[in-house]
């Protein structure tokens, strides 16, 4: 019997992949005070084990991505624990850097599978809910990469299903739909956006960019986390 007030009693697993906006490049400013604290029942993979999620853990010098609000909101839906594996590297493209057999892809698969094996050894009855993919800027900056983005994104999703342990029928792949606001920087943006729109996606045109016109502020990252949870909530 599920505890009152929750959708499930199972532990939940999420993964986050992509480039700098998945990792977080927002000067570390955190406007939502409740997200600056360690969260009970929310953990992030640190390479060999899960540690309590905090914006200073497994992040880019105190910066953060969508993981803070993903963890916080998911913990309101389950009486179990929430686990997050984040593997993101700035400036990377899908065409080569995240291609099949690449170092980035292999590193992610190793991290995800190690995390799953850790959870299994701990006796967790977890449900791998889905992956948040926040990437595409590097491909939008290259005409050839942008033209191939549709095929490469389909290949990426297929590789998740092929290589990652514990993906089930309810697992969901959710991608960002890159913001129109970065169009002056990336000439081939529309091709990447069109490919992203073919998958379950989160629109972010209304969210604020930082001074560099590419990266998102803390409150924008938190809103992306909320929108991601809304996309996958039916699998929880």
């Amino acid at each position: 019997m599920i505890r009152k007030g929750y959708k499930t009693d199972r532990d939940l697993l999420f993964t986050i992949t992509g480039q700098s906006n998945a990792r977080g490049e927002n000067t570390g400013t955190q406007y939502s005070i409740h997200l600056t604290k360690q969260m009970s029942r929310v953990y992030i993979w640190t390479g060999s084990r899960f540690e309590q999620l905090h914006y200073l853990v497994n992040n880019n010098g105190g910066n953060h991505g969508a993981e803070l609000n993903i963890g916080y909101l998911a913990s309101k839906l389950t009486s179990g624990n929430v686990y997050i594996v984040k593997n993101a590297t700035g400036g990377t493209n899908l065409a080569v850097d995240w291609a099949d057999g690449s170092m980035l892809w292999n590193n992610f698969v190793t991290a995800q599978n190690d995390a799953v094996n850790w959870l299994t050894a701990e006796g967790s009855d977890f449900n791998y809910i889905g992956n948040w993919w926040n990437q595409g800027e590097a491909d939008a900056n290259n005409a050839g990469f942008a033209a191939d983005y549709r095929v490469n994104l389909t290949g990426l999703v297929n590789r998740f299903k092929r290589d990652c342990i514990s993906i089930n029928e309810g697992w969901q792949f959710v991608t960002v739909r890159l913001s129109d606001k970065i169009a002056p920087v990336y000439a081939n943006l529309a091709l990447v956006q069109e490919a992203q729109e073919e998958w379950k996606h989160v629109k972010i045109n209304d969210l604020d960019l930082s001074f560099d016109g590419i990266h998102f502020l803390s409150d924008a990252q938190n809103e992306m986390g909320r929108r991601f949870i809304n996309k996958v909530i039916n699998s929880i």
Side-chain angles (χ1 to χ4, degrees), residues 34-168:
H34 66 285
L35 298 181
T36 65
K37 304 172 183 178
Q38 283 192 329
M39 304 178 197
S40 61
R41 300 188 295 107
V42 183
Y43 302 88
I44 193 163
W45 185 248
T46 60
S48 59
R49 65 188 184 278
F50 281 99
E51 294 184 7
Q52 264 194 306
L53 179 62
H54 187 274
Y55 76 103
L56 294 177
V57 176
N58 195 26
N59 277 307
N60 178 30
N63 296 333
H64 68 87
E67 68 279 355
L68 295 185
N69 217 21
I70 289 174
Y72 176 79
L73 294 174
S75 71
K76 303 303 180 184
L77 299 172
T78 180
S79 62
N81 293 331
V82 176
Y83 297 98
I84 298 171
V85 177
K86 186 172 84 166
N87 200 291
T89 302
T92 54
N93 60 66
L94 176 56
V96 176
D97 298 322
W98 283 95
D100 195 6
S102 66
M103 181 178 68
L104 282 179
W105 176 251
N106 290 341
N107 286 347
F108 165 69
V109 171
T110 297
Q112 192 273 349
N113 290 343
D114 284 351
V116 165
N117 288 331
W118 188 95
L119 291 172
T120 301
E122 292 293 312
S124 170
D125 177 31
F126 68 91
N127 185 9
Y128 183 11
I129 300 298
N131 180 80
W132 168 235
W133 175 250
N134 194 338
Q135 192 276 340
E137 295 91 343
D139 296 84
N141 202 32
N142 180 297
F145 292 174
D148 291 340
Y149 200 81
R150 175 178 283 104
V151 171
N152 290 338
L153 193 59
T154 299
L156 176 71
V157 177
N158 290 336
R159 282 188 274 123
F160 267 95
K161 296 175 180 178
R162 182 194 71 191
D163 295 344
C164 295
I165 300 174
S166 295
I167 283 184
N168 53 52

Side-chain angles (χ1 to χ4, degrees), residues 183-203:
V185 183
Y186 299 107
N188 308 287
L189 178 65
L191 287 173
V192 172
Q193 290 173 324
E194 289 167 6
Q196 292 168 335
E197 289 168 355
E198 294 183 1
W199 296 92
K200 185 171 287 191
H201 61 279
V202 167
K203 294 180 180 179

Side-chain angles (χ1 to χ4, degrees), residues 222-234:
N222 295 335
E223 177 60 18
M224 283 187 234
R226 186 189 70 81
R227 294 177 188 183
F228 168 79
I229 288 294
N230 284 344
K231 292 289 184 180
V232 302
I233 194 168
N234 289 336

